[in-house]
Amino acid sequence: MSRSIAAGKSPTEQANIKRAVTAATIGTVIEWFDYALYGAAAGLIINKLFFPTFSETAGVLAAFATFAVGFVSRPLGGIVISHMGDRFGRKPALIFTIALMGASTVAMGLLPTYAQAGIWAPVLLVILRLLQGFGAGAEYAGAVTLVAEYVPPERKAYYTAYLQAATVVGIMMATLLFLLVSYLPEETLFGWAWRVPFLISALLFVVALYIRKNLDETPEYVAAMEKAAEQRHEARVPLRELLTNSPRELIFGFLSVTGHNANAYILSAFSLSYMTNTLGLARTDSLTAVMIATLTGIVMTPIFGAIADRVGHAKVYLFGAVFVFLFAFPMFMMLDSKSVVLATIGLSLGYGIGFAGLASAQGAFLANLFPTRYRFSGIAMTRELNSVLIAGPTPFIAASLVSAAGGRPIYVVAYLMLCCAVTAIAIVAIQSRSFERGAD
């Protein structure tokens, strides 16, 4: 972020903008660190620690089911916390999200296993996943809203793309930590070492909480609230305004996220399980391939964001969906080669072009769909309703489809292509609304 964020702004305004982008980025890193951490654990160890009485296939499915549970509470968290953010300010909402996510993740690292607590172990795990999901339900929406309302309009995609790059940073950090502990003897890994990545998240949480407590409210939000106060005195209900005034934007915004969610969770969560449990690759090789691939996503997402600011958010968003649609089958062919090199290249292309294309323009595209007074609620609803239907269940769906196909990925490929087709249609249907809303 060395380029000028706000040319022409006063030094104080520039400092506030940099602080806002930093606070939003770190929070997004934590959100996806938490989720990727659990995704990696679900594919590698959760089944053995919390569902040891199940068969190997059933254990993996049960682990991914608990992964999906975290998304059940996300829409509720998104609605409640985004209402808080639209009604009372971005800052208190973002502080609450980071506190709830951080506490839940650290608590997971302190959980007893099935061998220690029996059935209560998976029950407590599910409860913590629900709390984690509730907090995460508004994290990305709040981060995008914060950044979109601080940075200049002509740089909106570039800087909101940093948030999506941050999601990959979180994935890479989680994968790296599990890679490191995976080199330990299995007895040590399943004894205590699996807890370390969860407990380390406390450090990130403290840093993010400190930065967010020192944030100022966004100038755009303050101006919008002052204007609303002048025009009417009754209490605002952002969700009601959203459903009344922007139903088309809500529906197509919701559909537009489908391909991105399916692709992101196949890359970050399912691919590890597929390479390790289905193809028989070594756990460390699979983790290494994913970690290297995530680096391409980190580098390429802001680059695609800068391109989106120049050529149009919808065009880059659509490009990402079309690429993933076309590359779905070749990527799984490269994984099926059981070559670590080819698997790494395939995942890297999936992250560096497919993920980056979809992720880079998404934040600006969605932010432009909704006016300031209920933007937080609009972004949260579009993303989190889609998350509970697509993102959370995707690893479980993918694992089930592979099992149904006798270990072959053909059904997973079809699922990913269908999701990307839905995204492409939605973008084309609503792109003019996003463009028109850009100056709002």
Side-chain angles (χ1 to χ4, degrees):
M1 289 186 285
S2 60
R3 300 177 63 176
S4 175
I5 295 179
K9 299 284 187 180
S10 70
T12 299
E13 289 174 318
Q14 291 191 38
N16 286 337
I17 292 172
K18 289 178 181 178
R19 191 181 300 118
V21 174
T22 301
T25 301
I26 292 177
T28 305
V29 168
I30 293 175
E31 176 192 357
W32 283 72
F33 175 83
D34 290 350
Y35 267 74
L37 195 63
Y38 193 86
L44 300 175
I45 63 172
I46 291 296
N47 56 325
K48 297 177 182 177
L49 290 172
F50 291 88
F51 304 99
T53 59
F54 290 18
S55 68
E56 184 172 343
T57 299
V60 170
L61 290 175
F64 279 140
T66 60
F67 180 80
V69 161
F71 289 84
V72 172
S73 58
R74 283 185 71 122
L76 180 59
I79 291 170
V80 173
I81 300 172
S82 65
H83 172 82
M84 181 193 305
D86 281 329
R87 188 80 175 84
F88 304 108
R90 314 315 192 195
K91 179 179 175 177
L94 287 169
I95 289 175
F96 180 72
T97 62
I98 204 70
L100 189 55
M101 285 193 308
S104 301
T105 303
V106 172
M108 286 182 189
L110 300 173
L111 277 179
T113 64
Y114 187 91
Q116 297 167 323
I119 191 63
W120 282 106
V123 169
L124 291 171
L125 181 66
V126 168
I127 292 172
L128 289 177
R129 282 290 292 159
L130 288 170
L131 290 174
Q132 186 187 57
F134 188 92
E139 172 58 38
Y140 179 80
V144 168
T145 301
L146 185 75
V147 172
E149 291 178 356
Y150 256 116
V151 302
E154 67 275 10
R155 305 295 289 152
K156 191 177 292 185
Y158 178 68
Y159 286 106
T160 55
Y162 271 105
L163 302 178
Q164 286 285 5
T167 69
V168 190
V169 172
I171 293 169
M172 186 188 69
M173 290 171 59
T175 305
L176 176 60
L177 279 173
F178 261 99
L179 174 62
L180 293 176
V181 298
S182 290
Y183 282 108
L184 296 171
E186 199 159 286
E187 182 179 346
T188 304
L189 173 63
F190 288 94
W192 59 266
W194 69 272
R195 301 180 184 274
V196 173
F198 290 94
L199 299 177
I200 285 178
S201 68
L203 300 176
L204 292 172
F205 156 64
V206 171
V207 172
L209 189 60
Y210 173 79
I211 294 175
R212 289 188 174 185
K213 287 186 69 175
N214 289 282
L215 270 179
D216 292 329
E217 194 53 77
T218 72
E220 187 175 333
Y221 175 79
V222 172
M225 292 306 98
E226 290 174 351
K227 181 178 179 181
E230 292 174 0
Q231 294 177 345
R232 60 192 182 200
H233 299 286
E234 69 270 18
R236 298 182 311 111
V237 182
L239 181 59
R240 184 173 63 194
E241 286 194 86
L242 171 65
L243 296 175
T244 301
N245 300 331
S246 300
R248 178 178 170 82
E249 288 84 351
L250 180 62
I251 292 170
F252 284 102
F254 158 81
L255 293 174
S256 77
V257 186
T258 303
H260 169 73
N261 276 339
N263 183 54
Y265 284 90
I266 283 175
L267 289 173
S268 64
F270 173 70
S271 64
L272 273 174
S273 175
Y274 181 71
M275 288 187 289
T276 304
N277 299 318
T278 302
L279 300 180
L281 271 67
R283 183 167 55 234
T284 52
D285 287 344
S286 301
L287 286 164
T288 300
V290 172
M291 187 181 69
I292 292 173
T294 57
L295 287 172
T296 64
I298 294 170
V299 173
M300 295 302 297
T301 301
I303 293 175
F304 271 97
I307 295 172
D309 279 324
R310 289 180 175 273
V311 306
H313 307 153
K315 290 180 181 178
V316 172
Y317 202 10
L318 181 61
F319 167 80
V322 172
F323 177 85
V324 176
F325 180 93
L326 297 174
F327 187 62
F329 185 68
M331 183 179 75
F332 272 95
M333 285 184 64
M334 297 174 84
L335 294 179
D336 283 353
S337 70
K338 299 185 181 180
S339 163
V340 177
V341 173
L342 287 178
T344 302
I345 292 172
L347 291 174
S348 295
L349 290 172
Y351 267 114
I353 300 179
F355 176 90
L358 285 164
S360 61
Q362 183 190 114
F365 184 87
L366 294 178
N368 285 345
L369 287 177
F370 308 104
T372 305
R373 65 184 183 274
Y374 54 82
R375 177 175 292 134
F376 198 155
S377 295
I379 297 174
M381 286 286 286
T382 57
R383 283 182 53 85
E384 300 314 325
L385 287 177
N386 191 280
S387 291
V388 75
L389 294 175
I390 303 298
T394 282
F396 178 85
I397 291 171
S400 300
L401 291 174
V402 167
S403 178
R408 294 179 295 117
I410 187 65
Y411 296 156
V412 178
V413 170
Y415 168 75
L416 183 55
M417 292 176 71
L418 175 62
C419 290
C420 289
V422 170
T423 288
I425 293 169
I427 293 170
V428 171
I430 201 65
Q431 60 180 324
S432 61
R433 298 293 185 98
S434 181
F435 176 77
E436 291 165 3
R437 184 70 74 184
D440 185 278

